[in-house]
Amino acid sequence: MLDMVIVELRMIVVMVATGGTTQWMDPESNGGGLLRPTWTLWRREVVRFLRQRNRVIGALLTPLVFWMLLGFGLDKSFRLIDEVGAAGESVGYLEYFFPGTIVMILLFTAIFSTISVIEDRREGFLQGVLAAPVPRLAIVLGKVLGGATLATGQGVVVMLLWPLIGGFPGIEAMVLSVVCMFVMAVGLTALGLCIAWPMDSVAGFHAIMNLFLMPMWFLCGALFPVSAAPSWMAAVMYANPLTYGQATLRWTMSGAASPITPAMGWAVMTLFAVAMVAASGWLVAQPRKNGS
């Protein structure tokens, strides 16, 4: 682990030496003040994830097992009336629950990818990045885009199973689904960065995430539609930004409508992603309580 940290620090030093300090600090320079450090941190996140095979396997198989156990177990017991309304079509629980499984993958992969912030601070790598003449926004973009790329990639792998369940939706619908997943993943990764940045304990991060993530996912429409929830729970679900992402993803994959229109879903998802990136950028720019 120490060797990896040293290699990454050397990479940053070499890039500063070859690119020049001005290029790193000035976004308007020819080299781009954000591009090089953002690309370096993004690449590090991806390579680090791919080298941890147990993390790859766990991130993919856990939601799939969850989907198979619940989906196959409840598929014959419940038939859900699709929220198309006039069409009155009923769908099996296995089909209904599939987009929610992808949302689970995006949620857990995106947010838990920000644990590396705590690990990097403890190992000294983050201090080296903060000491380098790198804009703080580059740190945010590198982490957020890295986590979003990992989450989207895993979501795409699972989405390839959809033609076996709900039929082939078409190339345009598949592309829209990938875009929807990426926008969701950006917002969720930035949310995780906001939570992880002030923390020093991985165990504390896990405790907060388990308390925070599961209700967020349960109340997004993945397990049951908003229209079937009690009024007080429906109000909480409408306040959950993940509800709009789940509804939009379900619409792009199967064309199923809901009380949340596609335009509303795309708008809330995008605003959530922008707001979270802005909030994480502001937080990273602030000194921590211990003065670091």
Short mmCIF file of all heavy atoms in Angstrom, two decimals, residues 59 63 99-114 147-148 150-152 154-155 181 184-192 195 205 209-210 212-220 222 240-242 249 272:
data_model
loop_
_atom_site.label_atom_id
_atom_site.label_comp_id
_atom_site.label_asym_id
_atom_site.label_seq_id
_atom_site.Cartn_x
_atom_site.Cartn_y
_atom_site.Cartn_z
N ALA A 59 -19.68 -5.88 -5.41
CA ALA A 59 -20.54 -4.79 -5.88
C ALA A 59 -21.54 -5.27 -6.92
O ALA A 59 -22.64 -4.71 -7.03
CB ALA A 59 -19.68 -3.67 -6.47
N PRO A 63 -26.28 -7.01 -5.23
CA PRO A 63 -27.60 -6.59 -5.72
C PRO A 63 -28.28 -7.65 -6.57
O PRO A 63 -29.51 -7.79 -6.53
CB PRO A 63 -27.28 -5.33 -6.55
CG PRO A 63 -25.97 -4.87 -6.06
CD PRO A 63 -25.22 -6.10 -5.70
N PRO A 99 -35.17 -2.45 -12.49
CA PRO A 99 -34.56 -1.11 -12.45
C PRO A 99 -34.14 -0.70 -11.04
O PRO A 99 -33.12 -0.01 -10.87
CB PRO A 99 -35.67 -0.19 -12.99
CG PRO A 99 -36.53 -1.09 -13.80
CD PRO A 99 -36.51 -2.41 -13.10
N GLY A 100 -34.90 -1.12 -10.04
CA GLY A 100 -34.52 -0.81 -8.67
C GLY A 100 -33.22 -1.48 -8.26
O GLY A 100 -32.46 -0.94 -7.45
N THR A 101 -32.95 -2.66 -8.84
CA THR A 101 -31.69 -3.34 -8.57
C THR A 101 -30.52 -2.54 -9.13
O THR A 101 -29.47 -2.41 -8.49
CB THR A 101 -31.70 -4.74 -9.19
OG1 THR A 101 -32.82 -5.48 -8.70
CG2 THR A 101 -30.41 -5.50 -8.87
N ILE A 102 -30.71 -1.99 -10.33
CA ILE A 102 -29.66 -1.16 -10.92
C ILE A 102 -29.44 0.11 -10.08
O ILE A 102 -28.30 0.54 -9.88
CB ILE A 102 -30.02 -0.80 -12.37
CG1 ILE A 102 -30.07 -2.06 -13.22
CG2 ILE A 102 -29.03 0.20 -12.95
CD1 ILE A 102 -30.41 -1.82 -14.67
N VAL A 103 -30.52 0.68 -9.57
CA VAL A 103 -30.39 1.85 -8.71
C VAL A 103 -29.60 1.50 -7.45
O VAL A 103 -28.78 2.29 -6.97
CB VAL A 103 -31.78 2.41 -8.35
CG1 VAL A 103 -31.66 3.52 -7.31
CG2 VAL A 103 -32.47 2.96 -9.59
N MET A 104 -29.83 0.30 -6.92
CA MET A 104 -29.07 -0.13 -5.75
C MET A 104 -27.58 -0.22 -6.08
O MET A 104 -26.73 0.20 -5.28
CB MET A 104 -29.56 -1.50 -5.27
CG MET A 104 -28.74 -2.05 -4.10
SD MET A 104 -29.10 -3.78 -3.73
CE MET A 104 -30.61 -3.60 -2.83
N ILE A 105 -27.25 -0.76 -7.24
CA ILE A 105 -25.85 -0.85 -7.66
C ILE A 105 -25.24 0.54 -7.77
O ILE A 105 -24.12 0.79 -7.29
CB ILE A 105 -25.74 -1.60 -9.00
CG1 ILE A 105 -26.15 -3.06 -8.81
CG2 ILE A 105 -24.33 -1.51 -9.57
CD1 ILE A 105 -26.22 -3.84 -10.10
N LEU A 106 -25.95 1.46 -8.40
CA LEU A 106 -25.45 2.82 -8.54
C LEU A 106 -25.24 3.47 -7.18
O LEU A 106 -24.20 4.11 -6.92
CB LEU A 106 -26.43 3.66 -9.36
CG LEU A 106 -26.67 3.25 -10.81
CD1 LEU A 106 -27.76 4.12 -11.43
CD2 LEU A 106 -25.40 3.33 -11.63
N LEU A 107 -26.21 3.30 -6.30
CA LEU A 107 -26.16 3.94 -4.99
C LEU A 107 -24.97 3.46 -4.17
O LEU A 107 -24.16 4.25 -3.68
CB LEU A 107 -27.47 3.67 -4.24
CG LEU A 107 -27.58 4.22 -2.82
CD1 LEU A 107 -27.54 5.73 -2.82
CD2 LEU A 107 -28.87 3.72 -2.18
N PHE A 108 -24.83 2.15 -4.05
CA PHE A 108 -23.79 1.61 -3.18
C PHE A 108 -22.40 1.78 -3.80
O PHE A 108 -21.44 2.11 -3.10
CB PHE A 108 -24.07 0.14 -2.88
CG PHE A 108 -25.09 -0.04 -1.80
CD1 PHE A 108 -26.44 0.02 -2.09
CD2 PHE A 108 -24.71 -0.25 -0.49
CE1 PHE A 108 -27.40 -0.14 -1.09
CE2 PHE A 108 -25.65 -0.41 0.52
CZ PHE A 108 -27.00 -0.35 0.21
N THR A 109 -22.28 1.56 -5.09
CA THR A 109 -20.96 1.70 -5.73
C THR A 109 -20.51 3.15 -5.70
O THR A 109 -19.35 3.45 -5.38
CB THR A 109 -20.99 1.20 -7.17
OG1 THR A 109 -21.43 -0.16 -7.19
CG2 THR A 109 -19.62 1.29 -7.80
N ALA A 110 -21.40 4.07 -6.04
CA ALA A 110 -21.04 5.49 -6.11
C ALA A 110 -20.65 6.03 -4.75
O ALA A 110 -19.59 6.65 -4.58
CB ALA A 110 -22.21 6.30 -6.68
N ILE A 111 -21.47 5.78 -3.74
CA ILE A 111 -21.20 6.37 -2.43
C ILE A 111 -20.04 5.68 -1.73
O ILE A 111 -19.17 6.32 -1.14
CB ILE A 111 -22.47 6.35 -1.57
CG1 ILE A 111 -23.49 7.33 -2.15
CG2 ILE A 111 -22.15 6.70 -0.13
CD1 ILE A 111 -24.67 7.62 -1.28
N PHE A 112 -19.98 4.36 -1.82
CA PHE A 112 -18.90 3.66 -1.11
C PHE A 112 -17.55 3.85 -1.80
O PHE A 112 -16.51 3.55 -1.20
CB PHE A 112 -19.23 2.19 -0.97
CG PHE A 112 -20.14 1.89 0.20
CD1 PHE A 112 -21.46 1.56 0.00
CD2 PHE A 112 -19.67 1.97 1.50
CE1 PHE A 112 -22.31 1.30 1.06
CE2 PHE A 112 -20.50 1.71 2.58
CZ PHE A 112 -21.83 1.38 2.36
N SER A 113 -17.55 4.31 -3.04
CA SER A 113 -16.27 4.62 -3.69
C SER A 113 -15.57 5.79 -3.01
O SER A 113 -14.35 5.96 -3.15
CB SER A 113 -16.48 4.92 -5.18
OG SER A 113 -17.21 6.13 -5.34
N THR A 114 -16.33 6.61 -2.30
CA THR A 114 -15.73 7.77 -1.63
C THR A 114 -15.04 7.40 -0.32
O THR A 114 -14.45 8.27 0.33
CB THR A 114 -16.80 8.84 -1.37
OG1 THR A 114 -17.87 8.27 -0.60
CG2 THR A 114 -17.37 9.37 -2.68
N GLY A 147 -15.89 7.73 -9.35
CA GLY A 147 -16.95 6.93 -8.74
C GLY A 147 -18.15 6.76 -9.65
O GLY A 147 -18.74 5.67 -9.72
N ALA A 148 -18.51 7.82 -10.38
CA ALA A 148 -19.65 7.73 -11.30
C ALA A 148 -19.37 6.77 -12.45
O ALA A 148 -20.26 6.04 -12.91
CB ALA A 148 -20.00 9.12 -11.84
N LEU A 150 -17.38 4.12 -12.36
CA LEU A 150 -17.45 2.76 -11.82
C LEU A 150 -18.90 2.32 -11.62
O LEU A 150 -19.27 1.19 -11.98
CB LEU A 150 -16.69 2.69 -10.50
CG LEU A 150 -15.19 2.97 -10.55
CD1 LEU A 150 -14.60 3.00 -9.15
CD2 LEU A 150 -14.48 1.94 -11.40
N ALA A 151 -19.71 3.19 -11.05
CA ALA A 151 -21.11 2.85 -10.80
C ALA A 151 -21.86 2.63 -12.11
O ALA A 151 -22.63 1.66 -12.25
CB ALA A 151 -21.77 3.95 -9.98
N THR A 152 -21.64 3.51 -13.07
CA THR A 152 -22.33 3.38 -14.35
C THR A 152 -21.90 2.11 -15.08
O THR A 152 -22.73 1.41 -15.68
CB THR A 152 -22.07 4.61 -15.23
OG1 THR A 152 -22.45 5.79 -14.52
CG2 THR A 152 -22.86 4.53 -16.52
N GLN A 154 -20.88 -0.72 -13.84
CA GLN A 154 -21.53 -1.88 -13.24
C GLN A 154 -23.02 -1.91 -13.55
O GLN A 154 -23.60 -2.99 -13.77
CB GLN A 154 -21.30 -1.87 -11.73
CG GLN A 154 -19.85 -2.08 -11.36
CD GLN A 154 -19.66 -2.08 -9.86
OE1 GLN A 154 -19.94 -3.05 -9.19
NE2 GLN A 154 -19.18 -0.97 -9.34
N GLY A 155 -23.64 -0.75 -13.60
CA GLY A 155 -25.05 -0.70 -13.96
C GLY A 155 -25.28 -1.17 -15.38
O GLY A 155 -26.27 -1.87 -15.67
N MET A 181 -28.25 6.70 -15.76
CA MET A 181 -27.44 6.10 -14.71
C MET A 181 -26.24 6.97 -14.36
O MET A 181 -25.89 7.14 -13.19
CB MET A 181 -26.97 4.70 -15.14
CG MET A 181 -28.06 3.65 -15.10
SD MET A 181 -27.42 1.97 -15.37
CE MET A 181 -27.16 2.01 -17.13
N MET A 184 -27.34 10.05 -12.32
CA MET A 184 -27.61 9.61 -10.95
C MET A 184 -26.33 9.34 -10.18
O MET A 184 -26.18 9.71 -9.02
CB MET A 184 -28.49 8.36 -10.97
CG MET A 184 -29.95 8.61 -10.76
SD MET A 184 -30.85 7.09 -10.31
CE MET A 184 -30.69 6.17 -11.82
N ALA A 185 -25.40 8.65 -10.85
CA ALA A 185 -24.14 8.27 -10.19
C ALA A 185 -23.32 9.49 -9.82
O ALA A 185 -22.66 9.51 -8.77
CB ALA A 185 -23.34 7.34 -11.10
N VAL A 186 -23.32 10.53 -10.66
CA VAL A 186 -22.59 11.76 -10.34
C VAL A 186 -23.14 12.38 -9.06
O VAL A 186 -22.39 12.75 -8.15
CB VAL A 186 -22.67 12.75 -11.52
CG1 VAL A 186 -22.18 14.13 -11.09
CG2 VAL A 186 -21.84 12.26 -12.69
N GLY A 187 -24.47 12.51 -8.99
CA GLY A 187 -25.06 13.10 -7.80
C GLY A 187 -24.81 12.28 -6.54
O GLY A 187 -24.51 12.83 -5.47
N LEU A 188 -24.89 10.95 -6.66
CA LEU A 188 -24.70 10.09 -5.49
C LEU A 188 -23.24 10.07 -5.04
O LEU A 188 -22.95 10.06 -3.84
CB LEU A 188 -25.17 8.68 -5.82
CG LEU A 188 -26.69 8.52 -6.03
CD1 LEU A 188 -27.02 7.13 -6.54
CD2 LEU A 188 -27.44 8.81 -4.74
N THR A 189 -22.31 10.07 -6.00
CA THR A 189 -20.89 10.09 -5.62
C THR A 189 -20.53 11.40 -4.94
O THR A 189 -19.79 11.42 -3.95
CB THR A 189 -20.00 9.88 -6.85
OG1 THR A 189 -20.42 8.73 -7.56
CG2 THR A 189 -18.54 9.71 -6.45
N ALA A 190 -21.05 12.50 -5.46
CA ALA A 190 -20.80 13.80 -4.83
C ALA A 190 -21.41 13.85 -3.44
O ALA A 190 -20.82 14.42 -2.50
CB ALA A 190 -21.35 14.92 -5.70
N LEU A 191 -22.58 13.23 -3.26
CA LEU A 191 -23.18 13.15 -1.93
C LEU A 191 -22.28 12.36 -0.98
O LEU A 191 -22.07 12.76 0.17
CB LEU A 191 -24.56 12.48 -2.03
CG LEU A 191 -25.27 12.17 -0.71
CD1 LEU A 191 -25.57 13.45 0.07
CD2 LEU A 191 -26.56 11.39 -0.96
N GLY A 192 -21.75 11.24 -1.46
CA GLY A 192 -20.83 10.46 -0.64
C GLY A 192 -19.57 11.23 -0.29
O GLY A 192 -19.04 11.10 0.83
N ILE A 195 -20.15 13.52 2.59
CA ILE A 195 -20.20 12.83 3.88
C ILE A 195 -18.82 12.34 4.30
O ILE A 195 -18.45 12.40 5.48
CB ILE A 195 -21.19 11.65 3.80
CG1 ILE A 195 -22.60 12.17 3.49
CG2 ILE A 195 -21.20 10.84 5.09
CD1 ILE A 195 -23.62 11.09 3.23
N PHE A 205 -17.98 5.95 8.80
CA PHE A 205 -18.58 6.16 7.49
C PHE A 205 -19.57 5.04 7.18
O PHE A 205 -20.68 5.29 6.71
CB PHE A 205 -17.49 6.22 6.43
CG PHE A 205 -18.00 6.46 5.03
CD1 PHE A 205 -18.25 7.74 4.58
CD2 PHE A 205 -18.24 5.39 4.18
CE1 PHE A 205 -18.72 7.95 3.29
CE2 PHE A 205 -18.71 5.60 2.90
CZ PHE A 205 -18.95 6.89 2.45
N MET A 209 -23.57 5.47 6.60
CA MET A 209 -24.09 5.06 5.30
C MET A 209 -25.17 4.00 5.42
O MET A 209 -26.18 4.04 4.72
CB MET A 209 -22.96 4.55 4.42
CG MET A 209 -22.02 5.63 3.91
SD MET A 209 -22.85 6.84 2.84
CE MET A 209 -23.29 8.12 4.01
N ASN A 210 -24.98 3.02 6.31
CA ASN A 210 -26.00 1.99 6.48
C ASN A 210 -27.30 2.58 7.04
O ASN A 210 -28.40 2.13 6.68
CB ASN A 210 -25.48 0.89 7.42
CG ASN A 210 -24.42 0.04 6.76
OD1 ASN A 210 -24.39 -0.11 5.55
ND2 ASN A 210 -23.54 -0.52 7.57
N PHE A 212 -28.24 5.63 6.48
CA PHE A 212 -28.73 6.63 5.54
C PHE A 212 -29.12 6.02 4.19
O PHE A 212 -30.12 6.40 3.59
CB PHE A 212 -27.64 7.69 5.35
CG PHE A 212 -28.02 8.80 4.41
CD1 PHE A 212 -28.96 9.74 4.76
CD2 PHE A 212 -27.42 8.88 3.16
CE1 PHE A 212 -29.31 10.76 3.89
CE2 PHE A 212 -27.76 9.90 2.29
CZ PHE A 212 -28.71 10.84 2.65
N LEU A 213 -28.33 5.05 3.72
CA LEU A 213 -28.52 4.54 2.37
C LEU A 213 -29.75 3.66 2.22
O LEU A 213 -30.51 3.80 1.25
CB LEU A 213 -27.28 3.75 1.93
CG LEU A 213 -26.03 4.56 1.61
CD1 LEU A 213 -24.96 3.64 1.06
CD2 LEU A 213 -26.33 5.65 0.61
N MET A 214 -29.94 2.71 3.14
CA MET A 214 -31.03 1.77 2.98
C MET A 214 -32.39 2.46 2.96
O MET A 214 -33.22 2.17 2.08
CB MET A 214 -30.97 0.69 4.07
CG MET A 214 -29.76 -0.23 3.96
SD MET A 214 -29.56 -0.94 2.30
CE MET A 214 -31.05 -1.91 2.14
N PRO A 215 -32.70 3.38 3.91
CA PRO A 215 -33.98 4.09 3.78
C PRO A 215 -34.09 4.89 2.49
O PRO A 215 -35.18 4.99 1.92
CB PRO A 215 -33.98 5.02 5.02
CG PRO A 215 -33.07 4.36 5.99
CD PRO A 215 -32.00 3.73 5.16
N MET A 216 -32.99 5.45 2.04
CA MET A 216 -33.01 6.22 0.80
C MET A 216 -33.39 5.33 -0.37
O MET A 216 -34.13 5.74 -1.27
CB MET A 216 -31.64 6.86 0.57
CG MET A 216 -31.59 7.83 -0.58
SD MET A 216 -29.96 8.63 -0.71
CE MET A 216 -30.25 9.76 -2.07
N TRP A 217 -32.88 4.10 -0.38
CA TRP A 217 -33.19 3.18 -1.47
C TRP A 217 -34.59 2.58 -1.32
O TRP A 217 -35.33 2.46 -2.28
CB TRP A 217 -32.15 2.07 -1.53
CG TRP A 217 -32.42 1.08 -2.62
CD1 TRP A 217 -32.27 1.26 -3.97
CD2 TRP A 217 -32.92 -0.25 -2.45
NE1 TRP A 217 -32.63 0.13 -4.64
CE2 TRP A 217 -33.03 -0.82 -3.73
CE3 TRP A 217 -33.25 -1.02 -1.33
CZ2 TRP A 217 -33.48 -2.13 -3.93
CZ3 TRP A 217 -33.70 -2.31 -1.52
CH2 TRP A 217 -33.82 -2.85 -2.82
N PHE A 218 -34.96 2.20 -0.08
CA PHE A 218 -36.27 1.62 0.15
C PHE A 218 -37.38 2.58 -0.28
O PHE A 218 -38.42 2.15 -0.79
CB PHE A 218 -36.46 1.29 1.64
CG PHE A 218 -35.81 -0.01 2.05
CD1 PHE A 218 -35.05 -0.08 3.20
CD2 PHE A 218 -35.96 -1.15 1.28
CE1 PHE A 218 -34.45 -1.27 3.58
CE2 PHE A 218 -35.37 -2.34 1.65
CZ PHE A 218 -34.60 -2.41 2.80
N LEU A 219 -37.16 3.88 -0.07
CA LEU A 219 -38.20 4.88 -0.33
C LEU A 219 -37.95 5.63 -1.63
O LEU A 219 -38.16 6.83 -1.71
CB LEU A 219 -38.26 5.87 0.84
CG LEU A 219 -38.64 5.27 2.20
CD1 LEU A 219 -38.60 6.32 3.29
CD2 LEU A 219 -40.01 4.60 2.14
N CYS A 220 -37.51 4.91 -2.65
CA CYS A 220 -37.32 5.54 -3.97
C CYS A 220 -38.22 4.93 -5.02
O CYS A 220 -38.13 5.29 -6.20
CB CYS A 220 -35.85 5.43 -4.41
SG CYS A 220 -35.35 3.80 -4.98
N ALA A 222 -38.23 1.64 -5.66
CA ALA A 222 -37.61 0.42 -6.19
C ALA A 222 -38.38 -0.82 -5.77
O ALA A 222 -38.51 -1.77 -6.55
CB ALA A 222 -36.16 0.34 -5.70
N ASN A 240 -37.41 12.49 -1.80
CA ASN A 240 -36.19 11.73 -2.04
C ASN A 240 -35.74 11.90 -3.49
O ASN A 240 -36.46 11.49 -4.42
CB ASN A 240 -36.44 10.25 -1.73
CG ASN A 240 -35.21 9.39 -1.91
OD1 ASN A 240 -34.11 9.89 -2.17
ND2 ASN A 240 -35.39 8.09 -1.79
N PRO A 241 -34.58 12.50 -3.76
CA PRO A 241 -34.16 12.69 -5.16
C PRO A 241 -33.95 11.38 -5.90
O PRO A 241 -34.07 11.34 -7.14
CB PRO A 241 -32.84 13.47 -5.02
CG PRO A 241 -32.38 13.23 -3.63
CD PRO A 241 -33.60 13.05 -2.81
N LEU A 242 -33.66 10.30 -5.18
CA LEU A 242 -33.46 9.02 -5.83
C LEU A 242 -34.76 8.49 -6.44
O LEU A 242 -34.73 7.70 -7.39
CB LEU A 242 -32.91 8.01 -4.82
CG LEU A 242 -32.13 6.81 -5.38
CD1 LEU A 242 -30.94 7.28 -6.20
CD2 LEU A 242 -31.67 5.91 -4.25
N LEU A 249 -35.24 6.08 -14.84
CA LEU A 249 -34.58 4.88 -15.36
C LEU A 249 -35.60 3.84 -15.76
O LEU A 249 -35.45 3.17 -16.80
CB LEU A 249 -33.63 4.32 -14.29
CG LEU A 249 -32.85 3.08 -14.69
CD1 LEU A 249 -31.94 3.37 -15.88
CD2 LEU A 249 -32.02 2.55 -13.51
N PHE A 272 -30.05 17.81 -8.79
CA PHE A 272 -29.44 17.14 -7.64
C PHE A 272 -27.96 16.92 -7.87
O PHE A 272 -27.13 17.16 -6.98
CB PHE A 272 -30.16 15.81 -7.39
CG PHE A 272 -29.51 14.96 -6.34
CD1 PHE A 272 -29.57 15.32 -5.00
CD2 PHE A 272 -28.84 13.80 -6.68
CE1 PHE A 272 -28.98 14.53 -4.02
CE2 PHE A 272 -28.24 13.01 -5.71
CZ PHE A 272 -28.31 13.37 -4.38
#
